Amino acid sequence: MSSAPSFKRLPRAVREQQMLDAAVKVFSRRGYHAASMDEIAEDAGISKPMVYAYLGTKEELFVACLQREGTRMTEAIAGAAAPELPADERLWRGLRAFFGFVGAHRDGWAVLYRQARGEQPFAGELAAMRARLVEVVAGMLDHALRAEGREIAGTELEVVAYALVGASESLADWLADHPEADPERTATRMMNVAWLGADQLLNGVTWHPSAG
Amino acid sequence: MSSAPSFKRLPRAVREQQMLDAAVKVFSRRGYHAASMDEIAEDAGISKPMVYAYLGTKEELFVACLQREGTRMTEAIAGAAAPELPADERLWRGLRAFFGFVGAHRDGWAVLYRQARGEQPFAGELAAMRARLVEVVAGMLDHALRAEGREIAGTELEVVAYALVGASESLADWLADHPEADPERTATRMMNVAWLGADQLLNGVTWHPSAG
Amino acid sequence: MSSAPSFKRLPRAVREQQMLDAAVKVFSRRGYHAASMDEIAEDAGISKPMVYAYLGTKEELFVACLQREGTRMTEAIAGAAAPELPADERLWRGLRAFFGFVGAHRDGWAVLYRQARGEQPFAGELAAMRARLVEVVAGMLDHALRAEGREIAGTELEVVAYALVGASESLADWLADHPEADPERTATRMMNVAWLGADQLLNGVTWHPSAG
Amino acid sequence: MSSAPSFKRLPRAVREQQMLDAAVKVFSRRGYHAASMDEIAEDAGISKPMVYAYLGTKEELFVACLQREGTRMTEAIAGAAAPELPADERLWRGLRAFFGFVGAHRDGWAVLYRQARGEQPFAGELAAMRARLVEVVAGMLDHALRAEGREIAGTELEVVAYALVGASESLADWLADHPEADPERTATRMMNVAWLGADQLLNGVTWHPSAG
DNA sequence: CATGAATGAGTCTTCATTCAT
DNA sequence: TATGAATGAAGACTCATTCAT
């Protein structure tokens, strides 16, 4: 009857994104358990039965958030670290992409790494995501080693990668809690620790991005 | 008549420890919200009202767990890293104590670093604990620097320390999830990453504990 | 198919009245503390969460009862005692309205004046209601005095009004406990006491409503 | 062994009075339900099992309070209004004793007339006490009537007495809430209302205690 | 006599989830 | 499609009351 802009009857895909936006926001602020479906629905400007119809139960909704944010982050990082570059350059670009993402999606990060960690049903999902990331980093290191004709036991490499990922996550948490902090500088700091180690840092050696 | 241990009418101090043991166990398995006071009481072999009488509300109980485990850990680490040793030795002993503690108190670790992180009321408590740890590490580094007559800006140092602590926490999480893993070896790996950095590791340099 | 009244999915306003009815009934029978939300919900033919959704906590629910019954009573009395009438006539009409109300809403009266009196959180609310009533009565007396060019100190007047209100409340309690008693006759008795005092009553003087 | 004053092992009767004192105090402040046996025991400086051993369950304890305070009050009044005096003098002395008692035992009054009123198990006990009082007042009036050779129907008389008692209770409540108010003056005011009625008060007639 | 230790039972309150319109 | 109405189930917390020492 009318072509006036109606705020209802939006296409399903749009609605779902609105809901996920609201869910990520509420989950990150309240935590998984303390978040109520009521609040999420209200924040999305929609009624509760709609949320259930579109995205299923609370658990499924949280997983959907996890996956959307996880995919976004993974893609951001993967798109940055091209395999043909030297190892330090790849690591640097990966870190820059990672901290850039966290800085721009602090809510998403909170859902991903703060809430999902402690809740039994999601720990697995999260562990899988982190495992993929660790594998990428380990592959990076392995690639560099093989280029020099050397090799390290898989487990050993994995643990190193795990530590690097963990350190990055911790700095990311710090970044998420400090809105005034600069993602780029944080990435540089992480790069220094990761690439040079405490020993060299203590000896005055530092690493700097080459061009930027 | 009998000296067999009676399981009833125990003195308050004993019961409190039993309750804290049970609470740490249940909180670590279920997460803060999903844990029920019923289950904790049952696991402690006592009725719910006693838990409330001795340790207060669920929130207070969780804080009590946090503090007991946090104190234990802090003391374990502090007792290991003597200030008169050289920087790498101090770092190594601190890490060994840390991973040794986590390996021996996996539940406690889970409560401390997996559950407390996401729950608003405890994030502060936890952040304070971590801040103390970061400061200790930063102090370690600063001490070593000054010994060589050099200096780094406080913030810079703190971030490095933060990254090291974060990496250790991540490996600790990994350790807590892998019962077969050896704390000592994990500590050695962490030491390598922290002290040498990826660059040197890739170049075949490794660090080894000197004596033991 | 059928126009028989459906007992489900009633609009909010209707349900709220049902709940208040049930709450007044249960509160009056059991007392505030002994009344359980379960019983109130069951008596209203609805589940507990609806009660919480519509009327809030037990305390809020009780206040809602208090206010509904208080408003009803106040309006009944205010509508009866027109200011242009002579003092005795006004008093008489007010009393008749009051006892009529109590006779018709014995439960409401019990909630108002038996339960609210002793419970700390509501004593204030109730005291305010009674204060308004006392002021009305005091105003009535003052009006009559001024008409004859005389005056009494405010405090003095207020205490007299307080006593009259108290006497009426007591008789109302008596009325609420005696279902067979006639509100109109009770009002007449109260009028006699209030208007004539024991002295004249003892001397055979009595007061009678003029017409009706 | 020692004649030093021991605060324990007091004779039973003394202990019971201490407990009743504490109970009256706590019941009057918190209300019957909100009062906890814990608080009463603590306030009495005694352990809970002792309270149970001496005075029974909470309900029995409350009844004991009711009876002690009721008896005290009844005796105070009965001792004041000698039957050989004229009606107004008897009423006056009764009122003076009553308000004097309330002024001196505000806690006891609160237990008696504010808490007991709404709680089902005690309403009966209280009603009985009030009934005795009403009968006394009614008897007073009847006595005065018969002295003049006249008579009023029993019910009629009882209702008048009931109203007088009710008015007195209300003023007593007012007195209990106003620590600065003077019991004697309050009694005088009540006497004026009761004896003279509003009509005469409005016409400037007042009643005064003859000697004191 | 006196008490710290202990609990069964019950209440308020919330929330994920679904129906009927 | 969209939603107000509705609830089963569960969890935190309290308290009168009683043992065992």
Side-chain angles (χ1 to χ4, degrees), chain B residues 28 101-111 175-181 183:
Chain B
S28 75
F101 175 86
V102 173
H105 302 81
R106 293 166 206 250
D107 282 354
W109 170 258
V111 170
L175 180 62
D177 283 340
H178 293 76
E180 76 288 356

Side-chain angles (χ1 to χ4, degrees), chain A:
Chain A
M1 285 296 161
S2 148
S3 65
S6 161
F7 293 108
K8 307 213 164 189
R9 306 260 171 188
L10 296 178
R12 175 166 187 138
V14 177
R15 275 272 147 96
E16 281 186 348
Q17 291 308 311
Q18 287 180 352
M19 291 180 196
L20 284 175
D21 289 344
V24 165
K25 183 171 145 196
V26 175
F27 280 135
S28 73
R29 273 158 182 55
R30 306 257 189 241
Y32 175 71
H33 271 102
S36 82
M37 295 297 271
D38 274 281
E39 188 177 356
I40 292 172
E42 189 181 13
D43 198 275
I46 220 110
S47 76
K48 245 187 315 177
M50 281 287 92
V51 178
Y52 279 87
Y54 279 23
L55 293 168
T57 72
K58 190 184 187 183
E59 200 168 316
E60 290 165 340
L61 174 58
F62 189 80
V63 170
C65 293
L66 223 55
Q67 284 173 340
R68 189 181 74 165
E69 300 302 314
T71 304
R72 283 181 176 176
M73 189 181 84
T74 302
E75 285 176 357
I77 298 177
E84 67 279 5
L85 299 171
D88 61 343
E89 190 61 27
R90 289 183 74 196
L91 185 55
W92 162 241
R93 296 201 178 181
L95 285 173
R96 202 174 49 175
F98 172 67
F99 284 101
F101 175 85
V102 172
H105 300 80
R106 291 165 208 250
D107 280 358
W109 170 259
V111 171
L112 245 53
Y113 278 80
R114 273 213 277 255
Q115 303 305 331
R117 187 169 296 197
E119 309 291 341
Q120 253 197 344
F122 313 117
E125 194 89 16
L126 176 63
M129 282 178 45
R130 179 188 283 137
R132 284 198 293 278
L133 204 55
V134 168
E135 235 172 294
V136 168
V137 174
M140 231 181 251
L141 298 176
D142 190 45
H143 185 75
L145 279 173
R146 290 179 190 281
E148 304 193 14
R150 290 185 306 102
E151 209 168 328
I152 296 184
T155 312
E156 216 63 27
L157 213 57
E158 194 189 315
V159 172
V160 173
Y162 208 99
L164 293 183
V165 168
S168 304
E169 287 174 10
S170 266
L171 281 190
D173 255 14
W174 179 88
L175 180 64
D177 283 340
H178 293 76
E180 77 289 356
D182 176 30
E184 189 96 5
R185 281 199 65 176
T186 311
T188 308
R189 282 160 179 157
M190 180 62 219
M191 184 65 192
N192 268 290
V193 180
W195 192 248
L196 299 178
D199 183 27
Q200 301 197 59
L201 289 176
L202 291 177
N203 284 309
V205 184
T206 45
W207 178 97
H208 289 285
S210 54

Side-chain angles (χ1 to χ4, degrees), chain C residues 20 24 33 49 54 56-57 68 92 101 124 138-139 146 164 167 185 187 192 200:
Chain C
L20 285 174
V24 166
H33 272 104
Y54 283 177
T57 71
R68 190 182 72 167
W92 161 241
F101 175 86
R146 291 179 189 282
L164 292 184
R185 282 200 65 177
N192 268 289
Q200 300 198 62

